Structures are given as C-alpha cells and as structure tokens.
Amino acid sequence: MGKSAKVFKRPSKHQKELKKVVKAYPGSTPPAEALAACPAPALARTAGGGISKSKTIKLKAKVAAAKDRGSGKKTASKDYLKLFARKTTSDNSASGYLSDATSWKFDGAMLSVPRSSIAATSVGHLALFAGGRLQDDSYSDVVDIFNRHTNKWTTARLSVARSEIGAGSLAGRYALFAGGFDGSFRPMSVVDVYDAETAQWSTISLNTPRGAPRFLDLGETTAIIGGLSGDLQYLSRAVDYVGADLKISNATIPSAYPQFGLAVSDRDCGLGLFTSGYQNNKPGERFNDFQPSNQSTLFVASDSLVSFSQAPAFPSPRWGAGGAASNGLFAIGGGHLFGDGTTEPLTTVVDRVDLFSASTGQWSNTPLSLSVPRDYPMVQAVGDYIVFAGGSDKSKDFDILDTRSGSFIQGLQHRPALYTLRTNAAAVTIDDCLMIIAGGLVNQSRNATASVEMFDACQA
C-alpha cells in the first residue's frame, strides 16, 4: 500500500458509517453477457488479485475468434503511441518503456482567457475548453479550441456563461457541454453542442437542470448522469441519454442514496462505471448527511440501447478520487479521507488505486499505489496507459499505469511531468495520444492561469 497504508488501519467516524451503506447497497455482479463485448486486457485477475494465465489465454482466444467473425474488433486511431513500438514481454513487464517514454514531446500554449473549473472534451482531432471561473469569480462563455492537425487555436462562445459544466463527446462527432451554474448559482438545463463535421453550434436541453453532471461516452449514446441539483437535497439521481440524432431520453438511478460520483467510460467497450464520490445518507430529510460513497453502477451500451445495473461496491470509499479506463480496465485513484481531528488527522490524502476489470465484472482485491498521495488528480487514458497527474504539491511527475500488465511503470529517468503545479485545471486527450492540461489555479490556488501544457506521444 505504500505511504497511505496507515490510513486504512483504523476506520474514522465517517468510515464506520459506511457499514450502513454497504448493507443497503451491496452491489451485484454484472451479467457476463453484458461484459462479453469488451476486449479483455492482458490483466485477468483471480479472486486473490493475481494474474491467471489460463484465463488470459481463453480471453485472447475469444477476442481472436470474434475478430474472425467480423465482430469484436477494437477501433484504433491511426495515430498510435511511440511507446507502443516496444514488444511486451511474456510476463507483461514494461521493459523497453524507458526509451519510449522519454520520446514524449512537450509543448506549451495559452488559453485566450485565464480561468479555472473549465469543462473540457475532445472530438475528432479537436480539444475544446469551455466556460469556467474567471479571476474575479465571474463566469466565462469562452470556448478555446485546439486542432491537432493544424496545430492552431480558435475561439467560440457558449450560449450562456457558466461554470461547473459537464463535458463529453458523442458518436465521434459531437462535443457536448451540459448544465452548470449561472452567475446566481442556479442550475442550468442547456446543452451546447458542437458538430465537428460542420463546425456549427446548436443547443438542446437536459430534462433536469443541474450543475457538474457526469458524462459517460458509450459510443452511439452518451449518458449524462447526476450532478448538483441546487435544491435542498443537492444531489441528483437523474440520467439523460443523448443519441447520435441528438434526441434526449431520461431515466433515474434507483440507488439507495443520491450520489455525486465519478464517471469513467471505455468507449471501445461500450461500458461506463459510475462510482465513488460522495452521497447523501439522509435523502428527503431536513438536514443532509454527506459521506463518501461505495455505490457503483455499470452502464452497458448495445447499439443505441443502454442499460444499467448495480456493480460490486467500490472497495475503499473516499472523496476526491480520479479515474480513467483503457482496455476494459477501470482505474480509480487518489482522493482523501476525513478523520476526527484528534486521534487521526482531519484530512489524509491517499495514494490508493482501485482496479475494476470488465473481463471479470469485479474489483481487484489487490489495490495499487501511486508514487505520491494525490487529491483530485487529473486522470487520462492515453492509448494503453492511464496517466495520473497533479493532485500533489510534492511532485510534478506523472504516474503511468500500463493496463496490459496492470502495473505502474517504474524507474523512468525522465518521467513526464507537469511544468507548473495547478489545481482546478482541465485535462483531455486527443486521438488517444496527445494529452493536454489547461488553465486552473496556481500560486497556492490564488491566481487563475491561461497556461496550457501539451504532452505529445503521437506517431509523427
């Protein structure tokens, strides 16, 4: 467990309360047929958390057979990572990564306006950074757009200035910016839609206004989940589905407690996981009781249809974790716990990383550890890798998880790293190979910045 192991030895008052949550929302194993469409990574964990070679061989055979039948083929970008050029050894070790990792190119740029709490997503060869909070605490309607093919920046405007916007992509064509709060902290229902094929903007509306909704890109359908409702209950159970025709339908997650969770999707698999975050343990009562959540909901897309079901409970509930997915492996890492302030610190930032495997429908019994504890880390899938950046004032280095081996890359002499420490920044990846970190707060979170850091692992 490393540096954060001691945090989990003695449960805090908040952690003890979670026993009630576990009983009320125990989770269930998703049906195998719902997970079968997801290509299995080399990592196939047994109940004890080890790697089962026999299971790996069977899974590879199934994927190969599916490809022979013309199905199950994983769509890949023509732009692939230089670091994929190496051959993975038989024991899934990461030998050869060192020289490839040092070939990542760094570049910088500037947003048109310094701001934090920016909504970011990518579609096609574009990265879009929308809205956010300005230095004077007012909200912005600016959208900065970067085109990786032309290496040029342009700007556009949202239909209304706001912050705490949810952002995601749809069908490889549309960038969506949903909800948020206006200057009076009223939740919004507007969804600004950018069509990457026509370069035109339009708007649609959520069925339920809310701030900071979460996004799951499931291919031909995108799910917009939960968020902050702005009323006394504060947390929303609402789900809006947006289809490739931009029509919206809605549903409600029937969880025991409304949850402001973390949404992580693997578009190639058509799978999404809504988990972690925090929940209201006293919905409908006069006073809310917010606690870290163990609830997990799995979303499964099949063509244009989406279903969801309870997934196994998140094994280590905490606040402020970040996550991403690649190759059917979902990694949720970092975050913090609250203590009682006497026998334990009021706040303890953790280095724990929990893994959920689509091939088994289970969380691993053996968590991993980041190189440093990170709170609200920026987490991105870059090809076969999941990159953890920021969230720490002790290190600018990245932690890079290889989903093929299920382990972090070790011993990099020139580990990719942030140039500037920042909080409340936006992060996005274009074409699975160019990671961009933009805006946020610097100088101990006192000043909004326009600086942009770009980490290029794309084949020229």
Side-chain angles (χ1 to χ4, degrees), residues 121-136:
T121 190
S122 65
V123 60
H125 305 296
L126 305 176
L128 299 92
F129 302 88
R133 189 183 296 267
L134 301 172
Q135 181 66 37
D136 63 1

Side-chain angles (χ1 to χ4, degrees), residues 6-288:
K6 63 180 181 181
V7 176
F8 302 99
K9 290 181 179 179
R10 186 196 305 117
S12 68
K13 176 174 63 177
H14 300 289
Q15 289 174 289
K16 292 174 182 176
E17 286 292 316
L18 288 169
K19 293 179 180 178
K20 301 176 183 177
V21 179
V22 174
K23 292 178 181 178
Y25 195 87
S28 60
T29 302
E33 60 270 17
L35 305 175
C38 187
L43 178 71
R45 294 193 175 275
T46 65
I51 296 176
S52 167
K53 292 186 178 179
S54 62
K55 189 174 290 186
T56 299
I57 293 171
K58 290 179 182 178
L59 289 167
K60 286 184 176 179
K62 288 181 180 179
V63 173
K67 288 184 177 180
D68 289 339
R69 294 193 302 269
S71 61
K73 185 175 181 181
K74 183 176 179 181
T75 303
S77 170
K78 293 180 181 179
D79 305 297
Y80 55 94
L81 297 178
K82 287 183 178 180
L83 37 104
F84 294 170
R86 68 176 175 81
K87 292 182 179 180
T88 304
T89 58
S90 58
D91 64 350
N92 294 315
S93 68
S95 60
Y97 182 88
L98 177 62
S99 60
D100 293 322
T102 57
S103 69
W104 285 25
K105 293 177 290 186
F106 174 84
D107 200 1
M110 299 292 284
L111 298 174
S112 61
V113 180
R115 58 200 194 275
S116 61
S117 300
I118 304 168
T121 190
S122 65
V123 60
H125 305 296
L126 305 176
L128 299 92
F129 302 88
R133 189 183 296 267
L134 301 172
Q135 181 66 37
D136 63 1
D137 268 349
S138 63
Y139 294 163
S140 173
D141 63 357
V142 171
V143 183
D144 289 287
I145 305 173
F146 175 73
N147 186 318
R148 190 179 77 80
H149 277 187
T150 65
N151 201 37
K152 291 183 178 179
W153 289 82
T154 56
T155 59
R157 299 278 178 178
L158 296 172
S159 60
V160 60
R162 57 200 195 274
S163 188
E164 311 305 328
I165 306 168
S169 59
L170 168 65
R173 176 175 176 175
Y174 301 104
L176 308 179
F177 299 95
F181 292 106
D182 66 9
S184 300
F185 204 69
R186 290 175 299 203
M188 308 289 289
S189 62
V190 64
V191 181
D192 288 280
V193 181
Y194 178 76
D195 186 337
E197 290 189 6
T198 65
Q200 298 297 311
W201 288 87
S202 61
T203 60
I204 54 179
S205 294
L206 298 173
N207 286 286
T208 303
R210 52 203 194 271
R214 303 320 201 193
F215 267 73
L216 292 176
D217 181 350
L218 302 173
E220 293 301 303
T221 303
T222 289
I224 304 174
I225 306 168
L228 307 177
S229 62
D231 58 20
L232 291 177
Q233 296 307 307
Y234 200 56
L235 305 184
S236 175
R237 289 189 176 99
V239 180
D240 284 290
Y241 296 116
V242 186
D245 57 2
L246 297 182
K247 293 182 179 179
I248 292 184
S249 58
N250 64 298
T252 301
I253 298 179
S255 56
Y257 306 102
Q259 176 185 10
F260 186 57
L262 182 68
V264 179
S265 57
D266 190 325
R267 180 178 56 195
D268 292 330
C269 298
L271 293 178
L273 190 65
F274 183 61
T275 188
S276 188
Y278 63 91
Q279 64 191 36
N280 182 7
N281 280 2
K282 295 183 178 180
E285 298 187 21
R286 181 178 179 184
F287 297 104
N288 295 316

